[in-house]
Amino acid sequence: MKIVAAHPPGVLKLVAHEIRWAVLRELARSDYRVQELVERLQIPQNLLSYHLRKLREGQLVTERRSSADEREVYYRLDLEQFQASYLAAGSLVHPALTTLMENVPLSESPSRLPALRVLFLCTENSARSQMAEALLRHLSHGEIEAYSAGSQPAVKVHPLARRVMEQMGIDMRQAVPKHFQVFEGQDFDAMVTVCDRVVESCPTFPDDPERVHWSFRDPASVQGTEAEQLQAFEQTAQQLITRIRSLLPQLAHKKRNAREQ
């Protein structure tokens, strides 16, 4: 019987290259600028740029100009697109694989999560970092200690941030913006910056916690009708949920390894 050769899905060929695989692994933990990736991967910039272009063309990686310096560009892994492409490739092998992979939880159950402390930072601590704090606490069922602060805290939390969280059943009435100096000297397992402007002014914490950057547009900067502004906050909340769900197993794995050493 003649065997008909089938070409593997494009996504599998795309990620099979060792440099592109290394780039994806780096972007899975944080958003980075080109120079930061060059330093982390120790490869020439022109070679890195070539592979980043391939990943962008494959829609696995996106880019966003920094809100702090428009000459800088942050690259991020599109987790949802990567997952969809990976599931589609699996279904070509056998339809059951799609069901099996879709049923894998994005994070561990709360009872299995080790004790973790996470601090979210942005400039005003009025929207992105506040929502991230509330969402992490909610998604971990309170098992993870979540906090947020800013370098130039606003007077109050943005009303649309509160409204979007309330739509999800999360009460933020007690939330207030705080300066990150409040937390200096405390121990954290991870420090996540959700604002490009605050990256350079990050405080120093004991034991060098995991530092992660998520390059989010400030939803409060969106102009338009109230409905359009609310939509920006809703989109930010959904993006935060995706990022947080990918962060939980990473932190739990790192914490367990540290305990076993």
Side-chain angles (χ1 to χ4, degrees):
M1 182 178 69
K2 182 179 179 180
I3 299 176
V4 179
H7 295 289
V11 65
L12 298 184
K13 293 190 289 185
L14 184 64
V15 304
H17 192 282
E18 60 182 16
I19 292 181
R20 292 196 284 270
W21 183 250
V23 170
L24 290 173
R25 285 176 59 87
E26 291 295 328
L27 294 179
R29 65 169 297 277
S30 177
D31 298 348
Y32 288 112
R33 293 166 290 190
V34 167
Q35 192 55 43
E36 292 172 324
L37 286 170
V38 166
E39 293 172 359
R40 294 183 68 85
L41 297 174
Q42 295 295 298
I43 60 175
Q45 182 170 329
N46 61 341
L47 183 60
L48 174 64
S49 296
Y50 168 79
H51 289 291
L52 279 172
R53 178 170 59 82
K54 289 292 186 182
L55 290 170
R56 292 200 312 275
E57 291 172 352
Q59 300 182 331
L60 298 185
V61 169
T62 62
E63 60 181 17
R64 179 182 177 278
R65 291 207 172 272
S66 168
S67 56
D69 184 347
E70 291 192 352
R71 294 171 298 179
E72 299 283 357
V73 174
Y74 279 99
Y75 291 89
R76 70 162 59 173
L77 170 63
D78 189 330
L79 291 164
E80 293 177 328
Q81 178 61 39
F82 192 8
Q83 183 185 44
S85 299
Y86 194 71
L87 289 173
S91 69
L92 294 177
V93 177
H94 194 289
L97 287 177
T98 301
T99 304
L100 291 172
M101 287 187 284
E102 285 178 337
N103 289 334
V104 174
L106 291 174
S107 62
E108 299 184 66
S109 62
S111 61
R112 295 175 55 197
L113 287 169
L116 294 166
R117 302 183 82 235
V118 179
L119 176 63
F120 293 98
L121 297 175
C122 68
T123 304
E124 297 186 350
N125 189 216
S126 64
R128 290 162 290 184
S129 55
Q130 289 282 359
M131 289 193 293
E133 173 189 348
L135 286 167
L136 176 54
R137 191 177 295 117
H138 177 72
L139 292 171
S140 69
H141 299 269
E143 293 293 319
I144 293 181
E145 294 183 34
Y147 304 91
S148 68
S151 57
Q152 300 173 35
V155 176
K156 61 181 180 180
V157 174
H158 198 289
L160 289 181
R162 294 183 188 274
R163 183 172 166 184
V164 168
M165 291 297 98
E166 288 171 0
Q167 291 174 353
M168 297 182 177
I170 301 174
D171 186 358
M172 285 185 62
R173 286 177 295 181
Q174 303 302 316
V176 293
K178 302 169 291 297
H179 196 281
F180 58 58
Q181 290 177 341
V182 173
F183 297 102
E184 286 185 346
Q186 296 187 28
D187 291 308
F188 290 96
D189 296 284
M191 185 173 66
V192 184
T193 50
V194 293
C195 162
D196 298 334
R197 298 182 188 280
V198 80
V199 175
E200 298 300 327
S201 59
C202 281
T204 301
F205 289 90
D207 299 326
D208 190 23
E210 179 88 0
R211 289 179 177 246
V212 177
H213 180 56
W214 298 339
S215 181
F216 281 108
R217 177 183 64 169
D218 183 2
S221 67
V222 174
Q223 303 295 315
T225 65
E226 182 178 351
E228 290 170 335
Q229 292 174 357
L230 178 61
Q231 184 181 36
F233 277 84
E234 291 172 338
Q235 290 174 342
T236 298
Q238 290 302 318
Q239 292 169 356
L240 282 168
I241 289 172
T242 299
R243 293 296 191 98
I244 289 169
R245 282 179 169 167
S246 69
L247 178 68
L248 292 182
Q250 294 179 45
L251 294 179
H253 179 71
K254 181 178 179 181
K255 187 93 171 186
R256 255 193 225 97
N257 286 344
R259 286 177 175 176
E260 293 171 358
Q261 291 177 356

